Amino acid sequence: MSRTTRISTLAAMAVSATLLAGCDSAQTPERAASSTRHYGAIAFEPCTLASGISAGNVQAQCATFEVPENRAAPDGRRIRLNLAWLPATEEGSASEDPVFFLAGGPGQSAVQVWPQLDPAFKDVRKQRHIVLVDQRGTGGSNLLSCTPEGEDDEPQVTATPDAAAIADFARRCAEQAADRADPRFYTTTDAIADLDAVREAIGAQKINLVGGSYGTRVAQQYAARYPQHVRSLVIDGVAPNDLVVGGEFAHTFEDALKLQSAQCRELPACAKRFPQDARSQLDTLVSRLREAPAQVEYRDPATGESRTGTVSADTVTGLAFMFSYMPQTASLLPLVLDEASQGRYAPLMSLHDLMGRNMGGSMARGMQWSVICAEDADRYQEGGAEGTLLGSDVARMFFAACPAWPHGSRPEGFTAPLASDVPVLLLSGEFDPVTPPHYAERVLQTLPNGRHLVLRGQAHGTLGLGCMPRLLGQFLESTDAKALDASCLDSMTYVPPFTSFNGWEP
């Protein structure tokens, strides 16, 4: 059995693929030897932010900043937060209130993912500094990752994902981390206290928060705890405070599939090429593979070498779920499923490997557990996912580590909706499989100075699409979401499904 199939797909989805799947093979910022610059009381050194899948590098200033791990014991262990500062390009006229970008996950590094996002902030950076803080437990901020002692230490493939194996893995991971971290203090509540400490240290009275996916939870929690220091919020792929992260994936994914299938039926070439919609295709294929997983020879997507592997029902549902995060990959799904339904599994297996590698290592699994075990696990109620493709296994495995992982708790009022007069721009993709537009509509109800924009045909993560970078810059200057002329978004179009591996029909 190949290394990439050592953990079942559903289990891997449960512990690695969370709200944000715009994952990357990120690298540590490269420090350059040059002069020190100060932003407030923090000394920064020049560095280069680089991502393994981003086309370009970004020049920045990097620093570390010490905070107590447990603020109730300030004389105890201290941890270093990894920071990056991107000075305004028109620095002489820069505004006093910087932008803090909050990454998703939970478990993603803001510093490492930034090169992919930098183009979306081109207009913002003209007048505003950008501050990136790796949330504690991610990236360079006392990373809480779980590296097994050996290949055989990871949970083995089983017909049904094994919760006991995941819990055992989490227990051993916690033992490995015990000498350098207490996982109980790596929650969202701890993270927003870190953000405010950085804000104070750089001397900013007010800040603007831009959060994506899980970062929208962080943004809302910060605005509720420190309202006097918030000038504006931009939240993209909105997670309501009372959402059980991971608990509704089966239903939101199902809804996204229905929307995508409906779009295919409206396109004559797609409807003719794929008379059976993607949902029905998936049902048929999953049922067949559940009865008899198939051995397949396929090309390694990185090397082109011939490999063999096993295609299971979990392989198919896992790929479909990962594909649904972006319309460009979702447009491949009907074709790949059609090929597989005729017994040609090689394209599916190659794409599954490729997507898995792109996601691998992008989330700090331990930090993720610290967040969801403290804030979500006890609120999850199993049931109601019968008849869906993912069923209840994804959510069950999502929280399987919690009995073994040391975790804290959420404070009183944590799940209450953010009720604030702060200016807020809320963004959603029409086909988002994990944070659908109706989530943002719920959050908007208690934000009188908020406005919700839904990008047609798009999925998870919209900041860099179409004219959104320009609208983002305009909002952060004016803080008037309702006055934005968003008519430029009307030009957003659907990505037509591929009718062959040569592309889609004109």
Side-chain angles (χ1 to χ4, degrees):
M1 186 171 297
S2 65
R3 179 177 298 178
T4 55
T5 57
R6 293 301 304 275
I7 303 180
S8 72
T9 301
L10 276 180
M13 287 164 57
V15 297
S16 298
T18 58
L19 288 181
L20 183 69
C23 305
D24 66 298
S25 304
Q27 301 172 357
T28 303
E30 178 184 342
R31 300 296 175 102
S34 187
S35 60
T36 299
R37 292 189 59 184
H38 284 79
Y39 191 172
I42 303 179
F44 287 81
E45 299 289 342
C47 62
T48 300
L49 309 186
S51 170
I53 64 173
S54 181
N57 298 333
V58 179
Q59 301 306 310
Q61 303 285 323
C62 290
T64 59
F65 181 74
E66 274 198 357
V67 293
E69 184 181 53
N70 175 9
R71 283 186 164 79
D75 295 329
R77 178 162 50 205
R78 300 181 69 82
I79 60 175
R80 291 187 173 187
L81 303 178
N82 186 47
L83 314 181
W85 163 37
L86 297 102
T89 55
E90 299 175 8
E91 195 168 351
S93 58
S95 301
E96 293 181 354
D97 42 278
V99 171
F100 278 52
F101 170 73
L102 311 174
Q108 193 169 43
S109 157
V111 172
Q112 292 173 352
V113 76
W114 181 260
Q116 300 172 54
L117 294 166
D118 188 64
F121 288 78
K122 180 180 178 181
D123 288 349
V124 174
R125 288 191 59 190
K126 291 178 182 177
Q127 301 292 332
R128 281 189 162 73
H129 302 300
I130 306 289
V131 178
L132 309 175
V133 180
D134 275 351
Q135 186 167 334
R136 57 169 60 194
T138 73
S141 296
N142 206 30
L143 179 64
L144 267 183
S145 64
C146 296
T147 303
E149 295 173 359
E151 187 180 9
D152 292 335
D153 289 332
E154 293 196 3
Q156 298 294 308
V157 173
T158 57
T160 300
D162 189 345
I166 293 175
D168 183 61
F169 180 49
R171 184 177 299 105
R172 287 182 284 118
C173 177
E175 291 171 355
Q176 291 175 22
D179 62 341
R180 59 180 181 82
D182 186 335
R184 296 176 301 164
F185 303 112
Y186 289 75
T187 67
T188 303
T189 303
D190 295 303
I192 64 172
D194 291 342
L195 288 174
D196 200 58
V198 173
R199 175 207 59 78
E200 183 177 18
I202 64 174
Q205 181 58 31
K206 287 184 177 289
I207 60 177
N208 305 275
L209 298 173
V210 180
S213 201
Y214 162 71
T216 69
R217 171 184 283 187
V218 181
Q220 292 172 81
Q221 293 294 326
Y222 184 93
R225 176 66 179 84
Y226 305 102
Q228 71 277 22
H229 296 307
V230 179
R231 177 177 176 268
S232 70
L233 297 180
V234 179
I235 45 180
D236 178 24
V238 181
N241 282 337
D242 64 350
L243 177 70
V244 177
V245 173
E248 299 183 11
F249 283 171
H251 297 288
T252 54
F253 173 50
E254 203 82 12
D255 292 342
L257 278 176
K258 290 177 182 176
L259 289 171
Q260 292 160 3
S261 294
Q263 179 59 24
C264 179
R265 290 194 296 272
E266 292 180 9
L267 300 171
C270 186
K272 180 180 179 180
R273 175 69 176 80
F274 305 113
Q276 187 181 30
D277 65 38
R279 179 62 176 82
S280 299
Q281 282 182 309
L282 280 165
D283 259 341
T284 302
L285 192 57
V286 165
S287 296
R288 180 202 304 171
L289 291 171
R290 191 167 284 132
E291 292 294 324
Q295 293 292 313
V296 60
E297 184 174 332
Y298 66 102
R299 293 290 182 183
D300 185 293
T303 66
E305 296 177 357
S306 180
R307 302 185 65 177
T308 58
T310 302
V311 177
S312 67
D314 289 352
T315 310
V316 174
T317 54
L319 182 67
F321 184 63
M322 289 187 285
F323 264 21
S324 67
Y325 274 70
M326 294 186 296
Q328 293 81 2
T329 50
S331 68
L332 268 171
L333 187 61
L335 179 61
V336 172
L337 293 178
D338 185 67
E339 288 286 300
S341 69
Q342 299 177 55
R344 296 190 289 268
Y345 295 110
L348 188 153
M349 197 67 181
S350 291
L351 288 167
H352 179 269
D353 269 17
L354 179 64
M355 296 293 284
R357 290 177 192 182
N358 284 343
M359 294 180 65
S362 63
M363 298 288 174
R365 189 179 300 178
M367 175 272 187
Q368 187 179 106
W369 287 336
S370 288
V371 170
I372 65 173
C373 295
E375 300 166 11
D376 301 281
D378 67 318
R379 297 187 291 123
Y380 171 63
Q381 296 182 349
E382 190 170 320
E386 297 81 6
T388 65
L389 279 165
L390 297 184
S392 59
D393 278 340
V394 168
R396 187 184 302 120
M397 295 305 101
F398 200 70
F399 302 115
C402 294
W405 186 254
H407 57 273
S409 60
R410 61 186 179 275
E412 184 177 354
F414 184 89
T415 60
L418 174 64
S420 172
D421 292 330
V422 67
V424 185
L425 182 62
L426 303 92
L427 306 173
S428 299
E430 180 185 10
F431 295 165
D432 192 326
V434 285
T435 53
H438 68 83
Y439 283 1
E441 287 297 318
R442 278 169 48 192
V443 174
L444 182 63
Q445 292 176 8
T446 53
L447 299 172
N449 289 323
R451 181 180 178 185
H452 180 209
L453 301 178
V454 180
L455 277 67
R456 181 175 57 190
Q458 306 308 307
H460 193 65
T462 67
L463 287 172
L465 303 178
C467 63
M468 269 312 308
R470 176 160 56 85
L471 295 177
L472 179 62
Q474 291 174 356
F475 171 69
L476 288 173
E477 287 307 303
S478 70
T479 66
D480 189 345
K482 295 178 181 179
L484 287 177
D485 180 2
S487 60
C488 59
L489 293 177
D490 295 341
S491 63
M492 300 294 293
T493 59
Y494 297 100
V495 178
F498 277 47
T499 52
S500 74
F501 285 109
N502 292 322
W504 52 81
E505 291 197 9

